[in-house]
Amino acid sequence: MTKFDEATQAIRVDDGTYDVCIDPGYAIGGPLNGGYLMAVILRAAVDASPFEHPVSTTAQFLKAPVPGPAQVKVEPLKAGRTAAFARATLVQDGVAQIESLITTATLNDVEPMYAEKSAYEMPAIEDCAKLPDPKPESGMTLNAQMELLFDPPTIGWLTGKPTGRPESRAYFRMAEPQDPDPYVLALAVDALPPVVFSAGARGWAPTVDLTWHLRALPAPGWLTLLGSGRLVSDGWFDEEVEVRDSTGRLVAQSRQLARVGRG
């Protein structure tokens, strides 16, 4: 079991109730990463399901959970021959923190009928760049859990040269050797810096709603994350992320609505 597996572990208490422990190692300057929190919820939801994989997840971030004990309450809604539907709520100190609707199914390793190629060709890994290591007092513990190597133009905001477009692109893998799985993908879809940084904004950009789809089980190796946005307006922005595995196959898609950060 890897550190990430332990940090997302859900222990069954009874039908529909799971004990979890929110790990402080996935913080982004104070708040916890939304993808990590989704992975915690999905561990419980999949355990409670007759199917193996979380193929569609929609999460509403009502509050910002803090590290420590919490529970996931899973309410089955319907189960059919090929898919099951459930509501899962992350609860801390008796208060709902995240509400989610999750569809589970069992994916097979089949040749796709149609597969669109990536619209963007990433530079070679050796031509990509890391972000500087955060200062210990920053509270940015998430960086230590993963490796991100960025397409250089999309981190121009670091030096005051944003591209002017909401975008972010990087190669991703866990810092501890681990083949990507659906729970790693839940983290990956929310692992990029907010795309609004490249449009010129700064500061924590809290996610309000995030939906992601598991499209295929990923091959071992680096993942490629392609992030973009369509509109930044009135304090809101959208972010779409396409995740491809080491073979170039589309394995996950996400869209989120978030607030433009202050600061």
Side-chain angles (χ1 to χ4, degrees), residues 2 29 46 48 55 66 74 85 87 104 181 190 206 215 219 234 261-262:
T2 67
V46 171
V55 296
V66 297
V74 181
F85 307 88
R87 177 180 291 110
T104 51
D181 62 16
D190 197 38
R215 303 308 314 281
D234 196 26
R262 301 187 211 99

Side-chain angles (χ1 to χ4, degrees), residues 120 153-155 157 162-169 192-199 227-229:
Y120 185 84
T154 67
I155 53 172
W157 48 267
T163 64
R165 299 181 301 275
E167 59 184 352
S168 187
R169 297 182 291 271
L192 292 169
V195 296
V196 76
F197 284 8
S198 278
S228 62

Side-chain angles (χ1 to χ4, degrees), residues 146-149 170-174 184 187-188 191 221-225:
M146 60 189 188
E147 291 184 64
L148 284 172
L149 295 174
Y171 293 104
F172 168 99
R173 68 181 179 185
M174 300 301 292
V184 170
L187 175 65
W222 287 92
L223 299 172
T224 301
L225 314 182

Side-chain angles (χ1 to χ4, degrees), residues 6-256:
E6 291 179 355
T8 55
Q9 188 175 23
I11 300 171
R12 187 170 189 153
V13 177
D14 57 39
D15 286 346
T17 304
Y18 291 79
D19 281 343
V20 298
C21 187
I22 306 301
D23 194 302
Y26 296 82
I28 45 174
L32 290 150
N33 174 264
Y36 161 69
L37 294 168
M38 284 197 304
V40 173
I41 294 169
L42 290 173
R43 291 280 189 192
V46 171
D47 185 81
S49 169
F51 300 103
E52 295 181 34
H53 305 124
V55 296
S56 182
T57 303
T58 296
Q60 303 273 337
F61 293 81
L62 309 178
K63 289 183 170 290
V66 297
Q71 287 190 320
V72 177
K73 304 280 190 178
V74 181
E75 177 191 352
L77 300 175
K78 181 183 178 182
R81 288 181 297 173
T82 60
F85 307 88
R87 177 180 291 110
T89 307
L90 180 68
V91 178
Q92 197 167 48
D93 295 329
V95 178
Q97 307 286 313
I98 300 172
E99 289 278 7
S100 58
L101 292 173
I102 299 163
T103 304
T104 51
T106 298
L107 298 181
N108 300 301
D109 187 14
V110 298
E111 196 65 29
M113 181 184 299
Y114 171 78
E116 185 178 67
K117 292 184 178 179
S118 175
Y120 185 84
E121 177 120 9
M122 281 282 286
I125 287 181
E126 56 269 22
D127 295 328
C128 290
K130 283 184 62 177
L131 289 175
D133 290 333
K135 296 177 180 178
E137 64 271 18
S138 70
M140 288 286 296
T141 58
L142 176 65
N143 298 51
Q145 312 302 331
M146 60 189 188
E147 291 184 64
L148 284 172
L149 295 174
F150 290 88
D151 188 5
T154 67
I155 53 172
W157 48 267
L158 268 177
T159 56
K161 297 177 181 178
T163 64
R165 299 181 301 275
E167 59 184 352
S168 187
R169 297 182 291 271
Y171 293 104
F172 168 99
R173 68 181 179 185
M174 300 301 292
E176 182 181 10
Q178 178 174 3
D179 289 339
D181 62 16
Y183 307 103
V184 170
L185 289 177
L187 175 65
V189 297
D190 197 38
L192 292 169
V195 296
V196 76
F197 284 8
S198 278
R202 299 299 290 269
W204 178 48
T207 300
V208 175
D209 176 278
L210 193 158
T211 295
W212 79 279
H213 305 306
L214 172 66
R215 303 308 314 281
L217 300 178
W222 287 92
L223 299 172
T224 301
L225 314 182
L226 305 173
S228 62
R230 298 188 182 191
L231 179 67
V232 183
S233 177
D234 196 26
W236 296 87
F237 72 98
D238 62 278
E239 177 173 315
E240 297 182 10
V241 176
E242 175 183 303
V243 184
R244 293 184 178 266
D245 69 8
S246 58
T247 72
R249 187 176 188 179
L250 179 68
V251 292
Q253 300 163 279
S254 73
R255 174 178 286 179
Q256 66 174 282

